Amino acid sequence: MAEQVATNITFHEGTVSAEERVENMGQKGATFWFTGLSGSGKSTIAVAVEQVLLSRGNHAYRLDGDNIRMGLNKNLGFSPEDRTENIRRIGEVSKLFADAGVLSIASFISPYSEDRNAVRALHAENNVPYFECYIDCSLEAAEERDPKGLYKKARAGEIKGFTGIDAPYEAPANAELHLKTHEDDLETCVAKVIEFIDAQNLFA
Ligand code: ADP
C-alpha cells in the first residue's frame, strides 16, 4: 500500500454532478480491467473493442501495459514491488478516466490478486464501475503464439521473473467476465466483450 506522504492537503470537491456528466457524455464511465498471461490476447482484444466502441460513437480509451511503461511508469521494472506500484498507478489513472465518463479498457498482466483487488476497492470507494475481465489462455497456447518472442527468451533464461515461467500468475476467482482465447477466436472474444459492456446499462 502506498502511503500518503504530503500533509496539509484537502480534497477539493467540484460542482459537476454524476448525472450532469452522464448527460454530457451520453454514457457512464467504467473500467474494464483485462488481466491475463502475456500473449493471452489482452491488447489485441482491447484494440478491437476500442475500435467498435468508437465507431458506434461511444467514448473509450485503452490503457496498455507496455505503452504505460514507456511513459508514466518508465521508472518501474518487473520486481514484485514495481509490479504492485505499476498496477496501483494504472488503477488510479483508469479510475480518473472512468470518472471522467470514458470507458477505460486497461490491459495489464496484473498477476497478483491483491493488486487487482486494491484497484477494485479504489473504484468501489469512488463509486466508479469496475469490471474485471479475465483474458484466460493456457500457458501452452500463449507460449505457442509468443507474439513478442518473450517466452522463448524467458525459457532461455534471458528474462528473469517472467509471468507463467518463473513468476506467478494468480488467476482471478471472481472476474465479472471470463474469456478463453484458446477456445474462442478473436471475433468471438470481441463480440463477447461488447455484449458484456452493453449489458451494464452504461449508455444514456
Ligand atoms: P497480450 O496483450 O495479452 O500480451 P497480445 O494481444 O499482444 O497479448 O497477443 C495475443 C496474440 O494471440 C496475438 O498475436 C493474436 O493475434 C493472437 N490470438 C489468437 N487467438 C486470439 C484470440 N482469441 N483473442 C486474442 N488474441 C488471439
mmCIF file of all heavy atoms in Angstrom, residues 35-47 64-66 107-109 135-137 141-142 145-148 150-151 179-190, ligand 1:
data_model
loop_
_atom_site.group_PDB
_atom_site.id
_atom_site.type_symbol
_atom_site.label_atom_id
_atom_site.label_comp_id
_atom_site.label_asym_id
_atom_site.label_seq_id
_atom_site.Cartn_x
_atom_site.Cartn_y
_atom_site.Cartn_z
ATOM 1 N N THR A 35 -7.059 -8.781 -17.438
ATOM 2 C CA THR A 35 -5.901 -9.422 -16.815
ATOM 3 C C THR A 35 -5.680 -10.782 -17.455
ATOM 4 O O THR A 35 -6.650 -11.451 -17.860
ATOM 5 C CB THR A 35 -6.099 -9.574 -15.288
ATOM 6 O OG1 THR A 35 -5.025 -10.362 -14.751
ATOM 7 C CG2 THR A 35 -7.429 -10.228 -14.927
ATOM 8 N N GLY A 36 -4.441 -11.180 -17.568
ATOM 9 C CA GLY A 36 -4.136 -12.491 -18.161
ATOM 10 C C GLY A 36 -2.657 -12.581 -18.506
ATOM 11 O O GLY A 36 -1.931 -11.573 -18.455
ATOM 12 N N LEU A 37 -2.246 -13.770 -18.885
ATOM 13 C CA LEU A 37 -0.843 -14.017 -19.232
ATOM 14 C C LEU A 37 -0.399 -13.153 -20.411
ATOM 15 O O LEU A 37 -1.228 -12.739 -21.227
ATOM 16 C CB LEU A 37 -0.660 -15.481 -19.645
ATOM 17 C CG LEU A 37 -0.845 -16.570 -18.586
ATOM 18 C CD1 LEU A 37 -0.773 -17.945 -19.261
ATOM 19 C CD2 LEU A 37 0.221 -16.447 -17.506
ATOM 20 N N SER A 38 0.885 -12.944 -20.511
ATOM 21 C CA SER A 38 1.441 -12.317 -21.707
ATOM 22 C C SER A 38 1.067 -13.197 -22.908
ATOM 23 O O SER A 38 1.164 -14.426 -22.836
ATOM 24 C CB SER A 38 2.965 -12.228 -21.582
ATOM 25 O OG SER A 38 3.529 -11.709 -22.759
ATOM 26 N N GLY A 39 0.592 -12.575 -23.956
ATOM 27 C CA GLY A 39 0.206 -13.349 -25.151
ATOM 28 C C GLY A 39 -1.193 -13.939 -25.078
ATOM 29 O O GLY A 39 -1.618 -14.638 -25.996
ATOM 30 N N SER A 40 -1.917 -13.644 -24.004
ATOM 31 C CA SER A 40 -3.275 -14.214 -23.881
ATOM 32 C C SER A 40 -4.240 -13.527 -24.837
ATOM 33 O O SER A 40 -5.284 -14.085 -25.180
ATOM 34 C CB SER A 40 -3.784 -14.102 -22.437
ATOM 35 O OG SER A 40 -3.867 -12.754 -22.037
ATOM 36 N N GLY A 41 -3.916 -12.297 -25.244
ATOM 37 C CA GLY A 41 -4.767 -11.586 -26.199
ATOM 38 C C GLY A 41 -5.355 -10.299 -25.663
ATOM 39 O O GLY A 41 -6.215 -9.685 -26.312
ATOM 40 N N LYS A 42 -4.896 -9.850 -24.506
ATOM 41 C CA LYS A 42 -5.447 -8.632 -23.890
ATOM 42 C C LYS A 42 -5.398 -7.443 -24.850
ATOM 43 O O LYS A 42 -6.410 -6.782 -25.097
ATOM 44 C CB LYS A 42 -4.674 -8.282 -22.596
ATOM 45 C CG LYS A 42 -4.704 -9.349 -21.528
ATOM 46 C CD LYS A 42 -3.922 -8.948 -20.299
ATOM 47 C CE LYS A 42 -2.436 -8.751 -20.518
ATOM 48 N NZ LYS A 42 -1.710 -9.974 -20.981
ATOM 49 N N SER A 43 -4.204 -7.144 -25.347
ATOM 50 C CA SER A 43 -4.032 -5.950 -26.192
ATOM 51 C C SER A 43 -4.793 -6.093 -27.502
ATOM 52 O O SER A 43 -5.436 -5.139 -27.965
ATOM 53 C CB SER A 43 -2.551 -5.704 -26.488
ATOM 54 O OG SER A 43 -1.844 -5.529 -25.281
ATOM 55 N N THR A 44 -4.741 -7.269 -28.094
ATOM 56 C CA THR A 44 -5.420 -7.487 -29.380
ATOM 57 C C THR A 44 -6.921 -7.292 -29.232
ATOM 58 O O THR A 44 -7.562 -6.612 -30.051
ATOM 59 C CB THR A 44 -5.105 -8.911 -29.899
ATOM 60 O OG1 THR A 44 -3.679 -9.071 -29.952
ATOM 61 C CG2 THR A 44 -5.688 -9.139 -31.270
ATOM 62 N N ILE A 45 -7.495 -7.860 -28.188
ATOM 63 C CA ILE A 45 -8.937 -7.723 -27.964
ATOM 64 C C ILE A 45 -9.275 -6.280 -27.610
ATOM 65 O O ILE A 45 -10.251 -5.711 -28.118
ATOM 66 C CB ILE A 45 -9.417 -8.700 -26.862
ATOM 67 C CG1 ILE A 45 -9.203 -10.142 -27.323
ATOM 68 C CG2 ILE A 45 -10.881 -8.461 -26.500
ATOM 69 C CD1 ILE A 45 -9.402 -11.197 -26.233
ATOM 70 N N ALA A 46 -8.428 -5.656 -26.772
ATOM 71 C CA ALA A 46 -8.692 -4.270 -26.353
ATOM 72 C C ALA A 46 -8.707 -3.319 -27.552
ATOM 73 O O ALA A 46 -9.572 -2.442 -27.653
ATOM 74 C CB ALA A 46 -7.641 -3.820 -25.329
ATOM 75 N N VAL A 47 -7.775 -3.502 -28.468
ATOM 76 C CA VAL A 47 -7.713 -2.659 -29.668
ATOM 77 C C VAL A 47 -9.004 -2.788 -30.469
ATOM 78 O O VAL A 47 -9.598 -1.798 -30.905
ATOM 79 C CB VAL A 47 -6.477 -3.034 -30.535
ATOM 80 C CG1 VAL A 47 -6.592 -2.439 -31.928
ATOM 81 C CG2 VAL A 47 -5.192 -2.566 -29.861
ATOM 82 N N ASP A 64 -2.588 0.543 -21.919
ATOM 83 C CA ASP A 64 -1.930 -0.721 -22.252
ATOM 84 C C ASP A 64 -0.572 -0.826 -21.547
ATOM 85 O O ASP A 64 0.192 0.135 -21.512
ATOM 86 C CB ASP A 64 -1.747 -0.811 -23.773
ATOM 87 C CG ASP A 64 -1.305 -2.188 -24.203
ATOM 88 O OD1 ASP A 64 -0.086 -2.475 -24.104
ATOM 89 O OD2 ASP A 64 -2.160 -2.981 -24.608
ATOM 90 N N GLY A 65 -0.310 -2.003 -21.034
ATOM 91 C CA GLY A 65 0.878 -2.254 -20.221
ATOM 92 C C GLY A 65 2.176 -1.670 -20.752
ATOM 93 O O GLY A 65 2.793 -0.807 -20.121
ATOM 94 N N ASP A 66 2.596 -2.118 -21.929
ATOM 95 C CA ASP A 66 3.888 -1.675 -22.453
ATOM 96 C C ASP A 66 3.878 -0.173 -22.732
ATOM 97 O O ASP A 66 4.876 0.521 -22.503
ATOM 98 C CB ASP A 66 4.247 -2.446 -23.733
ATOM 99 C CG ASP A 66 4.795 -3.837 -23.422
ATOM 100 O OD1 ASP A 66 4.755 -4.227 -22.242
ATOM 101 O OD2 ASP A 66 5.256 -4.528 -24.346
ATOM 102 N N SER A 107 -5.380 -2.953 -20.105
ATOM 103 C CA SER A 107 -4.819 -4.285 -20.371
ATOM 104 C C SER A 107 -3.477 -4.431 -19.669
ATOM 105 O O SER A 107 -2.475 -3.850 -20.122
ATOM 106 C CB SER A 107 -4.590 -4.479 -21.869
ATOM 107 O OG SER A 107 -5.729 -4.140 -22.595
ATOM 108 N N PHE A 108 -3.469 -5.180 -18.619
ATOM 109 C CA PHE A 108 -2.244 -5.369 -17.839
ATOM 110 C C PHE A 108 -2.207 -6.792 -17.322
ATOM 111 O O PHE A 108 -3.234 -7.301 -16.844
ATOM 112 C CB PHE A 108 -2.196 -4.390 -16.649
ATOM 113 C CG PHE A 108 -2.148 -2.965 -17.113
ATOM 114 C CD1 PHE A 108 -3.322 -2.296 -17.416
ATOM 115 C CD2 PHE A 108 -0.942 -2.327 -17.327
ATOM 116 C CE1 PHE A 108 -3.293 -0.996 -17.917
ATOM 117 C CE2 PHE A 108 -0.903 -1.028 -17.825
ATOM 118 C CZ PHE A 108 -2.076 -0.362 -18.126
ATOM 119 N N ILE A 109 -1.054 -7.436 -17.406
ATOM 120 C CA ILE A 109 -0.962 -8.806 -16.896
ATOM 121 C C ILE A 109 -1.523 -8.831 -15.473
ATOM 122 O O ILE A 109 -2.302 -9.689 -15.125
ATOM 123 C CB ILE A 109 0.505 -9.310 -16.909
ATOM 124 C CG1 ILE A 109 1.051 -9.333 -18.345
ATOM 125 C CG2 ILE A 109 0.581 -10.710 -16.293
ATOM 126 C CD1 ILE A 109 2.542 -9.665 -18.441
ATOM 127 N N ILE A 135 -8.796 -12.556 -19.245
ATOM 128 C CA ILE A 135 -8.474 -12.994 -20.603
ATOM 129 C C ILE A 135 -7.630 -14.261 -20.434
ATOM 130 O O ILE A 135 -6.396 -14.216 -20.352
ATOM 131 C CB ILE A 135 -7.721 -11.877 -21.390
ATOM 132 C CG1 ILE A 135 -8.440 -10.521 -21.256
ATOM 133 C CG2 ILE A 135 -7.580 -12.289 -22.854
ATOM 134 C CD1 ILE A 135 -9.874 -10.487 -21.753
ATOM 135 N N ASP A 136 -8.358 -15.336 -20.322
ATOM 136 C CA ASP A 136 -7.766 -16.628 -19.980
ATOM 137 C C ASP A 136 -7.206 -17.300 -21.236
ATOM 138 O O ASP A 136 -7.832 -17.261 -22.298
ATOM 139 C CB ASP A 136 -8.892 -17.479 -19.366
ATOM 140 C CG ASP A 136 -8.398 -18.784 -18.773
ATOM 141 O OD1 ASP A 136 -7.180 -19.028 -18.778
ATOM 142 O OD2 ASP A 136 -9.263 -19.555 -18.300
ATOM 143 N N CYS A 137 -6.026 -17.883 -21.078
ATOM 144 C CA CYS A 137 -5.395 -18.612 -22.176
ATOM 145 C C CYS A 137 -4.449 -19.608 -21.529
ATOM 146 O O CYS A 137 -3.746 -19.256 -20.576
ATOM 147 C CB CYS A 137 -4.605 -17.616 -23.040
ATOM 148 S SG CYS A 137 -3.798 -18.349 -24.452
ATOM 149 N N ALA A 141 -0.832 -22.448 -25.027
ATOM 150 C CA ALA A 141 -1.272 -21.671 -26.197
ATOM 151 C C ALA A 141 -0.548 -20.323 -26.253
ATOM 152 O O ALA A 141 -0.120 -19.879 -27.328
ATOM 153 C CB ALA A 141 -2.785 -21.467 -26.151
ATOM 154 N N ALA A 142 -0.403 -19.663 -25.102
ATOM 155 C CA ALA A 142 0.272 -18.350 -25.080
ATOM 156 C C ALA A 142 1.724 -18.505 -25.531
ATOM 157 O O ALA A 142 2.254 -17.686 -26.282
ATOM 158 C CB ALA A 142 0.204 -17.747 -23.669
ATOM 159 N N ARG A 145 1.918 -19.059 -29.242
ATOM 160 C CA ARG A 145 1.764 -17.809 -30.010
ATOM 161 C C ARG A 145 3.028 -16.959 -29.900
ATOM 162 O O ARG A 145 3.513 -16.438 -30.882
ATOM 163 C CB ARG A 145 0.611 -16.984 -29.426
ATOM 164 C CG ARG A 145 -0.740 -17.579 -29.617
ATOM 165 C CD ARG A 145 -1.755 -16.724 -28.876
ATOM 166 N NE ARG A 145 -3.077 -17.347 -28.874
ATOM 167 C CZ ARG A 145 -4.061 -16.967 -28.089
ATOM 168 N NH1 ARG A 145 -3.880 -15.969 -27.240
ATOM 169 N NH2 ARG A 145 -5.224 -17.574 -28.138
ATOM 170 N N ASP A 146 3.465 -16.764 -28.673
ATOM 171 C CA ASP A 146 4.658 -15.963 -28.342
ATOM 172 C C ASP A 146 4.830 -14.761 -29.276
ATOM 173 O O ASP A 146 5.858 -14.639 -29.961
ATOM 174 C CB ASP A 146 5.909 -16.860 -28.394
ATOM 175 C CG ASP A 146 7.016 -16.348 -27.472
ATOM 176 O OD1 ASP A 146 6.785 -15.372 -26.730
ATOM 177 O OD2 ASP A 146 8.120 -16.923 -27.511
ATOM 178 N N PRO A 147 3.814 -13.838 -29.315
ATOM 179 C CA PRO A 147 3.835 -12.769 -30.324
ATOM 180 C C PRO A 147 5.057 -11.859 -30.256
ATOM 181 O O PRO A 147 5.460 -11.282 -31.257
ATOM 182 C CB PRO A 147 2.547 -11.983 -30.029
ATOM 183 C CG PRO A 147 2.167 -12.331 -28.628
ATOM 184 C CD PRO A 147 2.667 -13.725 -28.396
ATOM 185 N N LYS A 148 5.658 -11.760 -29.074
ATOM 186 C CA LYS A 148 6.821 -10.874 -28.954
ATOM 187 C C LYS A 148 8.117 -11.659 -28.706
ATOM 188 O O LYS A 148 9.148 -11.049 -28.397
ATOM 189 C CB LYS A 148 6.590 -9.878 -27.813
ATOM 190 C CG LYS A 148 5.375 -8.980 -28.021
ATOM 191 C CD LYS A 148 5.141 -8.107 -26.787
ATOM 192 C CE LYS A 148 3.746 -7.500 -26.813
ATOM 193 N NZ LYS A 148 3.236 -7.219 -25.464
ATOM 194 N N LEU A 150 8.853 -13.406 -26.222
ATOM 195 C CA LEU A 150 9.297 -13.260 -24.827
ATOM 196 C C LEU A 150 9.373 -14.596 -24.087
ATOM 197 O O LEU A 150 10.230 -14.782 -23.230
ATOM 198 C CB LEU A 150 8.357 -12.302 -24.079
ATOM 199 C CG LEU A 150 8.334 -10.869 -24.632
ATOM 200 C CD1 LEU A 150 7.314 -10.024 -23.877
ATOM 201 C CD2 LEU A 150 9.716 -10.235 -24.534
ATOM 202 N N TYR A 151 8.453 -15.519 -24.430
ATOM 203 C CA TYR A 151 8.505 -16.833 -23.766
ATOM 204 C C TYR A 151 9.805 -17.551 -24.124
ATOM 205 O O TYR A 151 10.439 -18.177 -23.280
ATOM 206 C CB TYR A 151 7.292 -17.684 -24.160
ATOM 207 C CG TYR A 151 6.020 -17.270 -23.445
ATOM 208 C CD1 TYR A 151 5.075 -16.457 -24.064
ATOM 209 C CD2 TYR A 151 5.773 -17.678 -22.134
ATOM 210 C CE1 TYR A 151 3.910 -16.070 -23.413
ATOM 211 C CE2 TYR A 151 4.613 -17.293 -21.462
ATOM 212 C CZ TYR A 151 3.684 -16.495 -22.111
ATOM 213 O OH TYR A 151 2.541 -16.103 -21.454
ATOM 214 N N LEU A 179 -13.087 -14.839 -20.511
ATOM 215 C CA LEU A 179 -12.934 -15.279 -21.900
ATOM 216 C C LEU A 179 -11.866 -16.358 -21.961
ATOM 217 O O LEU A 179 -10.909 -16.313 -21.186
ATOM 218 C CB LEU A 179 -12.479 -14.109 -22.792
ATOM 219 C CG LEU A 179 -13.381 -12.886 -22.911
ATOM 220 C CD1 LEU A 179 -12.736 -11.896 -23.881
ATOM 221 C CD2 LEU A 179 -14.756 -13.269 -23.400
ATOM 222 N N LYS A 180 -12.018 -17.278 -22.884
ATOM 223 C CA LYS A 180 -10.985 -18.298 -23.076
ATOM 224 C C LYS A 180 -10.480 -18.183 -24.505
ATOM 225 O O LYS A 180 -11.118 -18.677 -25.440
ATOM 226 C CB LYS A 180 -11.572 -19.686 -22.803
ATOM 227 C CG LYS A 180 -11.955 -19.861 -21.344
ATOM 228 C CD LYS A 180 -12.525 -21.225 -21.058
ATOM 229 C CE LYS A 180 -12.906 -21.289 -19.578
ATOM 230 N NZ LYS A 180 -13.766 -22.404 -19.246
ATOM 231 N N THR A 181 -9.359 -17.507 -24.657
ATOM 232 C CA THR A 181 -8.903 -17.185 -26.016
ATOM 233 C C THR A 181 -8.262 -18.384 -26.720
ATOM 234 O O THR A 181 -7.974 -18.309 -27.912
ATOM 235 C CB THR A 181 -7.928 -15.989 -26.023
ATOM 236 O OG1 THR A 181 -6.691 -16.400 -25.424
ATOM 237 C CG2 THR A 181 -8.485 -14.805 -25.266
ATOM 238 N N HIS A 182 -8.032 -19.458 -25.998
ATOM 239 C CA HIS A 182 -7.520 -20.675 -26.657
ATOM 240 C C HIS A 182 -8.690 -21.522 -27.175
ATOM 241 O O HIS A 182 -8.471 -22.534 -27.835
ATOM 242 C CB HIS A 182 -6.637 -21.492 -25.701
ATOM 243 C CG HIS A 182 -7.264 -21.771 -24.381
ATOM 244 N ND1 HIS A 182 -7.336 -20.850 -23.366
ATOM 245 C CD2 HIS A 182 -7.880 -22.870 -23.913
ATOM 246 C CE1 HIS A 182 -7.957 -21.371 -22.335
ATOM 247 N NE2 HIS A 182 -8.308 -22.597 -22.633
ATOM 248 N N GLU A 183 -9.919 -21.083 -26.849
ATOM 249 C CA GLU A 183 -11.105 -21.817 -27.343
ATOM 250 C C GLU A 183 -11.880 -20.995 -28.368
ATOM 251 O O GLU A 183 -12.317 -21.515 -29.391
ATOM 252 C CB GLU A 183 -12.024 -22.173 -26.174
ATOM 253 C CG GLU A 183 -11.401 -23.212 -25.244
ATOM 254 C CD GLU A 183 -12.288 -23.564 -24.063
ATOM 255 O OE1 GLU A 183 -13.435 -23.065 -23.987
ATOM 256 O OE2 GLU A 183 -11.816 -24.327 -23.201
ATOM 257 N N ASP A 184 -12.080 -19.704 -28.072
ATOM 258 C CA ASP A 184 -12.831 -18.825 -28.972
ATOM 259 C C ASP A 184 -11.880 -18.017 -29.844
ATOM 260 O O ASP A 184 -10.824 -17.584 -29.364
ATOM 261 C CB ASP A 184 -13.688 -17.836 -28.166
ATOM 262 C CG ASP A 184 -14.853 -18.536 -27.478
ATOM 263 O OD1 ASP A 184 -15.268 -19.610 -27.956
ATOM 264 O OD2 ASP A 184 -15.321 -18.009 -26.459
ATOM 265 N N ASP A 185 -12.266 -17.748 -31.090
ATOM 266 C CA ASP A 185 -11.404 -16.918 -31.930
ATOM 267 C C ASP A 185 -11.570 -15.438 -31.564
ATOM 268 O O ASP A 185 -12.444 -15.082 -30.752
ATOM 269 C CB ASP A 185 -11.647 -17.169 -33.426
ATOM 270 C CG ASP A 185 -13.051 -16.786 -33.868
ATOM 271 O OD1 ASP A 185 -13.774 -16.109 -33.112
ATOM 272 O OD2 ASP A 185 -13.435 -17.172 -34.989
ATOM 273 N N LEU A 186 -10.742 -14.600 -32.155
ATOM 274 C CA LEU A 186 -10.717 -13.181 -31.801
ATOM 275 C C LEU A 186 -12.090 -12.531 -31.965
ATOM 276 O O LEU A 186 -12.564 -11.804 -31.083
ATOM 277 C CB LEU A 186 -9.665 -12.461 -32.649
ATOM 278 C CG LEU A 186 -9.584 -10.938 -32.494
ATOM 279 C CD1 LEU A 186 -9.241 -10.546 -31.062
ATOM 280 C CD2 LEU A 186 -8.551 -10.351 -33.454
ATOM 281 N N GLU A 187 -12.717 -12.793 -33.098
ATOM 282 C CA GLU A 187 -14.016 -12.183 -33.399
ATOM 283 C C GLU A 187 -15.050 -12.525 -32.313
ATOM 284 O O GLU A 187 -15.790 -11.663 -31.845
ATOM 285 C CB GLU A 187 -14.483 -12.713 -34.755
ATOM 286 C CG GLU A 187 -15.532 -11.870 -35.443
ATOM 287 C CD GLU A 187 -15.991 -12.529 -36.743
ATOM 288 O OE1 GLU A 187 -15.207 -13.283 -37.330
ATOM 289 O OE2 GLU A 187 -17.138 -12.288 -37.131
ATOM 290 N N THR A 188 -15.054 -13.772 -31.901
ATOM 291 C CA THR A 188 -15.993 -14.219 -30.865
ATOM 292 C C THR A 188 -15.673 -13.533 -29.532
ATOM 293 O O THR A 188 -16.580 -13.086 -28.811
ATOM 294 C CB THR A 188 -15.917 -15.759 -30.703
ATOM 295 O OG1 THR A 188 -16.132 -16.348 -31.974
ATOM 296 C CG2 THR A 188 -16.938 -16.274 -29.712
ATOM 297 N N CYS A 189 -14.397 -13.438 -29.205
ATOM 298 C CA CYS A 189 -13.993 -12.795 -27.945
ATOM 299 C C CYS A 189 -14.437 -11.333 -27.932
ATOM 300 O O CYS A 189 -14.971 -10.837 -26.929
ATOM 301 C CB CYS A 189 -12.482 -12.878 -27.760
ATOM 302 S SG CYS A 189 -11.893 -14.551 -27.427
ATOM 303 N N VAL A 190 -14.221 -10.635 -29.037
ATOM 304 C CA VAL A 190 -14.593 -9.221 -29.121
ATOM 305 C C VAL A 190 -16.109 -9.080 -28.972
ATOM 306 O O VAL A 190 -16.594 -8.217 -28.223
ATOM 307 C CB VAL A 190 -14.102 -8.596 -30.449
ATOM 308 C CG1 VAL A 190 -14.636 -7.195 -30.638
ATOM 309 C CG2 VAL A 190 -12.573 -8.594 -30.491
HETATM 310 P P1 ADP B 1 -1.237 -9.711 -24.519
HETATM 311 O O1 ADP B 1 -1.664 -8.281 -24.723
HETATM 312 O O2 ADP B 1 -2.184 -10.466 -23.630
HETATM 313 O O3 ADP B 1 0.184 -9.866 -24.123
HETATM 314 P P2 ADP B 1 -1.340 -9.829 -27.394
HETATM 315 O O4 ADP B 1 -2.696 -9.283 -27.708
HETATM 316 O O5 ADP B 1 -0.163 -8.924 -27.540
HETATM 317 O O6 ADP B 1 -1.387 -10.470 -25.921
HETATM 318 O O7 ADP B 1 -1.055 -11.108 -28.278
HETATM 319 C C1 ADP B 1 -2.004 -12.139 -28.456
HETATM 320 C C2 ADP B 1 -1.706 -12.924 -29.741
HETATM 321 O O8 ADP B 1 -2.621 -14.011 -29.836
HETATM 322 C C3 ADP B 1 -1.874 -12.091 -30.978
HETATM 323 O O9 ADP B 1 -0.866 -12.447 -31.899
HETATM 324 C C4 ADP B 1 -3.273 -12.524 -31.501
HETATM 325 O O10 ADP B 1 -3.396 -12.379 -32.887
HETATM 326 C C5 ADP B 1 -3.312 -13.991 -31.086
HETATM 327 N N1 ADP B 1 -4.653 -14.562 -30.841
HETATM 328 C C6 ADP B 1 -5.067 -15.762 -31.256
HETATM 329 N N2 ADP B 1 -6.320 -16.013 -30.858
HETATM 330 C C7 ADP B 1 -6.740 -14.958 -30.168
HETATM 331 C C8 ADP B 1 -7.960 -14.626 -29.508
HETATM 332 N N3 ADP B 1 -8.992 -15.456 -29.464
HETATM 333 N N4 ADP B 1 -8.032 -13.436 -28.861
HETATM 334 C C9 ADP B 1 -6.970 -12.599 -28.877
HETATM 335 N N5 ADP B 1 -5.799 -12.841 -29.494
HETATM 336 C C10 ADP B 1 -5.673 -14.018 -30.142
#
